[in-house]
Amino acid sequence: MSSGNVSAVLVHGAWADGSSWSKVIDGLKKQGIDAVAVPLPLTSLSEDVAALDRTLERIEGPVVLAGHAYAGAVIASSRSEKIRALVYVAALAPDEGETVGDVFYRGEMNPLAPTLAPDRHGLIWLPQEAFAQAFAQHATPQALAVLAAVQRPISVSCIGEAVGRPLWKDRPSWFLIAEQDLMINPETQHFMAVRMNAHVRSYQADHTPIVTAPDAVTHVVAEAVQAVSAR
């Protein structure tokens, strides 16, 4: 497989860091696709977009942007001319004027999903037990230990900031729907994917397929890279 000169840029969501993409990075490398994971501060949506744009400045040539969970809002808020396509991995895709919270709470929450509340610093942490119960219920004990140990809190301001015109209205998009997601209702994922007119790829995966179903994620990202490389 040849990706031409198209790189994959991978953006982590809440309670995670770039290492959550490690298996996908390896899978893409085996297919000849260079990948870079973006470090987000998770301090506000606008600051996260600025962090993404700083990473994109360092990359030569066109890119496919892939975002997990919260990062769906981040990847659609960039205006970089390098972006050729977007890949949503169990991700949130607010429309213009909506917030991340609007789409996250659109559907009924799963009973196993944790109750989320900010601490006195305005930061939302994922309860320890939620990693195994809802965040990545298909993960190995070793993977769960790492996810919990490296978790990074997300600021309330990230989920309360209304987005502008999302880039998915102007670029082709792919959406990996995680049908066993206990954090973001799969029905909400279907709703967003249809609204975006995305290429839908459905898998029996939990909320964090970048860790628990990396081959599926690699396949969808590579498909997007190939599609834009062929143009």
Side-chain angles (χ1 to χ4, degrees):
M1 173 183 288
S2 172
S3 65
N5 62 338
V6 181
S7 302
V9 176
L10 314 172
V11 192
H12 66 82
W15 311 302
D17 65 11
S19 68
S20 58
W21 288 95
S22 59
K23 293 180 180 178
V24 176
I25 293 168
D26 184 55
L28 292 170
K29 191 71 174 176
K30 290 176 179 175
Q31 297 196 41
I33 299 170
D34 290 330
V36 173
V38 178
L40 295 185
L42 299 177
T43 47
S44 74
L45 179 59
S46 56
E47 288 171 358
D48 289 339
V49 175
L52 167 58
D53 286 340
R54 286 193 295 271
T55 297
L56 291 174
E57 283 179 18
R58 297 172 44 236
I59 298 173
E60 291 187 13
V63 303
V64 166
L65 270 188
H68 173 237
Y70 158 72
V74 180
I75 64 174
S77 297
S78 176
R79 294 296 176 262
S80 172
E81 293 295 324
K82 296 178 181 179
I83 303 167
R84 296 294 183 268
L86 304 173
V87 178
Y88 287 73
V89 181
L92 293 163
D95 201 349
E96 187 169 4
E98 293 179 342
T99 68
V100 169
D102 288 337
V103 283
F104 181 71
Y105 290 109
R106 179 182 183 275
E108 185 177 342
M109 300 300 290
N110 190 285
L112 293 175
T115 300
L116 302 173
D119 64 12
R120 64 189 181 92
H121 304 289
L123 301 174
I124 303 170
W125 294 84
L126 196 66
Q128 187 86 7
E129 66 276 6
F131 285 95
Q133 290 179 354
F135 190 76
Q137 71 268 25
H138 296 166
T140 64
Q142 294 88 345
L144 285 168
V146 172
L147 285 169
V150 304
Q151 83 149 304
R152 302 177 62 205
I154 185 169
S155 171
V156 170
S157 57
C158 291
I159 64 174
E161 187 176 331
V163 305
R165 178 184 172 86
L167 194 61
W168 48 258
K169 293 189 173 182
D170 304 304
R171 301 286 191 282
S173 60
W174 278 254
F175 202 118
L176 188 159
I177 294 175
E179 297 289 358
Q180 296 177 7
D181 195 329
L182 302 181
M183 295 290 293
I184 301 174
N185 191 321
E187 291 183 4
T188 298
Q189 295 182 44
H190 279 280
F191 164 79
M192 293 183 293
V194 169
R195 180 170 70 171
M196 295 162 62
N197 196 29
H199 301 281
V200 175
R201 304 293 179 260
S202 180
Y203 291 90
Q204 295 301 316
D206 63 19
H207 176 65
T208 314
I210 58 177
V211 173
T212 60
D215 289 349
V217 179
T218 300
H219 178 78
V220 178
V221 174
E223 181 185 345
V225 169
Q226 282 296 101
V228 299
S229 298
R231 293 184 175 189

